[in-house]
Amino acid sequence: MVREEIVVSTRTLRWKCVESRVDSKCLYYGRFILSPLMKGQADMIGIAMRRALLGEIEGTCITRAKSENVPHEYSTIVGIEESVHEIVMNLKEIVLRSHLYGSLDASICVKGPRYVIAQDIILPPFVEIVDTTQHIAILTEPIDLCIELKIERDRGYHIKTADNYQDGSYPIDAVFMPVRNVNHSIHSYGNGSEKQEILFLEIWTNGSLTPKEALHEASRNLIDLFVPFLYAEEQDSHLDNNQNRLTLPLFTFHDGLANIRKNKKEIALKCIFIDQSEFVPKTYNCLKRSNMHTLLDLLSNSPEDLMRIEHFRIEDVKEILGILRKHFVIDLPLQK
């Protein structure tokens, strides 16, 4: 059945989404195939993609909560059905979608009696709640509930520690990973030296991005890790052997490097997205609003073009020039 769904080619790798569904607002599923692969390649790609999907994709979540007159995390408040600890656990489950960096402030200010849900969170711009019906607390009496929240974007899993308690606020275990689970399996076909493989990838996400978007971002992150090897600087290689130093022949690839830069520079720049650079949030947001998503998009504009962007200043242009020169040894064009 699998072989009927794909076109097997010995020259071109092809991928396809064979199943996609939304189980709930916070649970998306996707199943993908990649073929044809030589023996061993499916496992190599599957392991790398699983690690990138689970560990390299950034997410946004609530990392800290603060409320006045709360002596400790396990205390209770008259008029609230849940304990403070239960409220913190409910805040941990809130799924957010954002592309901003750094720490942002949010808050909850409501008056009971009423149900408190995720929709009651007052969010900063460009931050969205995936499921606004997620439960936070139940106020059984006419009391005021005010909670200050801290929102951050990062990757991986951060566990709260005792030294994270400060200013009467309580840290929240942060699960930044938008990908909940990844499975990969391999189907082999053919005989002998013509044996080939099909890679199956199953991806579950929390709804802040789709499995297809997660696959795309993980692929970009893997490419970004390998791009430096395409432009590696020539270095001397030496081998020390007690008394004598043997100098190995230099691995000279000036001609090859020139060809790579000439033929593949544009492709490489398309694979480097501006969110992988060190731009401050303001610069990053201005560029994204101007439809500049990759370095290739950015390098199609001169400094004068960037100065026409709303809220852009000469300091922002200098920041961009500094990052381009430091990490990519390139400059913006003098003219568009």
Side-chain angles (χ1 to χ4, degrees):
M1 180 179 70
V2 172
R3 298 184 188 181
E4 295 174 354
E5 293 177 345
I6 62 172
V7 178
V8 177
S9 169
T10 58
R11 298 180 180 179
T12 306
L13 286 177
R14 299 185 181 183
W15 75 276
K16 181 179 180 181
C17 178
V18 294
E19 185 179 355
S20 178
R21 66 172 187 264
V22 178
D23 294 330
S24 68
K25 291 182 179 179
C26 295
L27 184 59
Y28 285 37
Y29 171 81
R31 188 165 183 254
F32 307 87
I33 57 175
L34 177 68
S35 70
L37 296 164
M38 297 174 62
K39 184 178 180 180
Q41 290 181 338
D43 195 44
M44 176 179 63
I45 296 173
I47 293 174
M49 287 303 303
R50 187 176 189 275
R51 288 181 177 271
L53 284 162
L54 293 174
E56 296 296 325
I57 300 181
E58 295 184 339
T60 305
C61 62
I62 300 171
T63 59
R64 189 173 290 274
K66 179 180 180 182
S67 184
E68 299 295 335
N69 302 321
V70 177
H72 56 82
E73 182 183 352
Y74 297 97
S75 61
T76 59
I77 303 175
V78 176
I80 301 180
E81 189 171 301
E82 292 82 2
S83 67
V84 174
H85 176 72
E86 289 172 327
I87 294 175
V88 169
M89 290 298 99
N90 291 336
L91 291 172
K92 176 183 174 180
E93 298 299 321
I94 303 296
V95 179
L96 301 175
R97 181 188 296 114
S98 170
H99 294 288
L100 298 179
Y101 288 87
S103 297
L104 302 171
D105 294 323
S107 63
I108 301 174
C109 284
V110 295
K111 184 177 181 63
R114 60 171 295 173
Y115 286 90
V116 183
I117 60 176
Q119 188 175 4
D120 296 312
I121 300 177
I122 303 172
L123 294 169
F126 308 109
V127 179
E128 303 174 19
I129 297 175
V130 173
D131 184 4
T132 57
T133 65
Q134 285 183 267
H135 175 75
I136 296 177
I138 299 176
L139 306 186
T140 58
E141 297 181 13
I143 63 171
D144 294 324
L145 175 64
C146 293
I147 305 176
E148 299 176 15
L149 304 174
K150 183 71 70 176
I151 295 175
E152 296 182 62
R153 181 176 176 84
D154 208 330
R155 63 181 184 178
Y157 183 81
H158 294 187
I159 302 176
K160 62 183 180 181
T161 57
D163 57 354
N164 281 336
Y165 291 82
Q166 57 187 15
D167 302 328
S169 62
Y170 303 95
I172 301 175
D173 289 340
V175 184
F176 292 105
M177 300 177 293
V179 177
R180 291 189 171 186
N181 193 21
V182 180
N183 286 335
H184 84 275
S185 56
I186 302 169
H187 171 71
S188 301
Y189 62 96
N191 297 311
S193 60
E194 297 182 356
K195 195 170 186 178
Q196 295 181 322
E197 297 176 338
I198 300 175
L199 172 65
F200 292 83
L201 270 176
E202 293 182 289
I203 303 172
W204 290 262
T205 69
N206 64 1
S208 62
L209 75 173
T210 66
K212 184 177 179 180
E213 290 170 338
L215 186 63
H216 182 70
E217 187 169 342
S219 301
R220 281 186 0 224
N221 291 340
L222 281 177
I223 291 171
D224 187 51
L225 291 173
F226 291 109
V227 162
F229 291 107
L230 295 176
Y231 306 104
E233 296 292 335
E234 181 184 67
Q235 297 180 353
D236 293 340
S237 299
H238 299 284
L239 180 64
D240 293 325
N241 185 13
N242 295 332
Q243 299 178 350
N244 299 322
R245 170 173 289 183
L246 175 64
T247 302
L248 298 178
L250 293 177
F251 178 61
T252 306
F253 53 92
H254 288 295
D255 294 337
L257 184 58
N259 290 333
I260 289 176
R261 285 176 172 165
K262 180 179 179 181
N263 300 326
K264 296 187 178 180
K265 182 178 180 180
E266 186 171 305
I267 297 176
L269 292 176
K270 284 182 180 179
C271 297
I272 303 176
F273 288 71
I274 63 171
D275 54 359
Q276 297 168 316
S277 302
E278 298 176 350
F279 298 132
V280 298
K282 178 202 168 186
T283 303
Y284 169 80
N285 292 329
C286 288
L287 294 176
K288 292 289 282 189
R289 284 196 294 268
S290 301
N291 293 320
M292 298 184 204
H293 305 289
T294 66
L295 279 188
L296 189 63
D297 298 332
L298 178 59
L299 291 174
S300 63
N301 294 271
S302 66
E304 290 75 14
D305 297 323
L306 296 181
M307 287 298 297
R308 298 189 186 99
I309 299 176
E310 187 177 4
H311 305 307
F312 232 64
R313 301 174 302 170
I314 185 63
E315 290 80 6
D316 302 318
V317 176
K318 290 180 179 178
E319 176 206 352
I320 291 175
L321 290 172
I323 290 176
L324 291 178
R325 291 166 183 168
K326 177 182 176 181
H327 296 288
F328 307 104
V329 199
I330 50 179
D331 271 312
L332 292 172
L334 296 178
Q335 295 181 346
K336 188 170 182 179

